[in-house]
Amino acid sequence: MSQPTRALSIRQPHAEAIMRGIKQIEYRSSATKIRERIYIYAGLGRYDANDEAEWMDDYGITDVACDDLPRGVIVGTVELHDSDGGEWYLRRPQRATTLRKPENRANPVWFKPFG
């Protein structure tokens, strides 16, 4: 299987929930025609601490603190297999064995992290 070429930037704790297979729908403003395995980049941006705590609770992530989740790195890959309006359907997450910083500058949504 070939390596993904695109990365989707997602803030924590949502990126962690995707890697755990808990979050299977990513909500965006419009549909996408992309249907392939993509990298998940855990963005550097943060949400309000109360929002992060609420999402961690909603996802049932209790074995790690949100402050300790990786940021600014590729955390794994996932298959983007369908889209219905702003709902992007994700499946088969694979956590990265080594966290890698992108070679290219991250963008708010799609970017090519390597090469």
Side-chain angles (χ1 to χ4, degrees):
M1 179 170 41
S2 64
Q3 286 287 79
T5 59
R6 302 174 216 252
L8 182 61
S9 184
I10 300 178
R11 291 183 195 179
Q12 294 288 20
H14 305 300
E16 179 65 19
I18 289 170
M19 288 297 95
R20 292 179 184 225
I22 298 166
K23 186 176 193 306
Q24 298 177 345
I25 300 173
E26 173 63 12
Y27 298 96
R28 296 289 170 148
S29 59
S30 62
T32 181
K33 293 183 180 185
I34 294 171
R35 305 287 185 273
E36 61 192 46
R37 183 157 284 279
I38 58 171
Y39 288 113
I40 297 297
Y41 169 77
L44 290 169
R46 298 291 302 256
Y47 293 106
D48 175 81
N50 291 330
D51 289 340
E52 288 182 349
E54 185 175 326
W55 286 317
M56 291 286 284
D57 187 51
D58 289 347
Y59 291 136
I61 300 172
T62 59
D63 60 325
V64 64
C66 195
D67 285 347
D68 295 332
L69 292 173
R71 288 178 175 76
V73 293
I74 301 291
V75 293
T77 66
V78 70
E79 183 184 332
L80 173 51
H81 69 96
D82 202 3
S83 171
D84 182 13
E87 294 183 356
W88 297 5
Y89 297 96
L90 311 173
R91 66 183 176 198
R92 298 189 186 111
Q94 294 180 338
R95 191 176 294 276
T97 54
T98 303
L99 301 178
R100 294 170 51 198
K101 288 189 178 199
E103 295 168 3
N104 299 320
R105 186 169 184 267
N107 289 320
V109 182
W110 294 112
F111 70 101
K112 295 195 182 240
F114 306 110

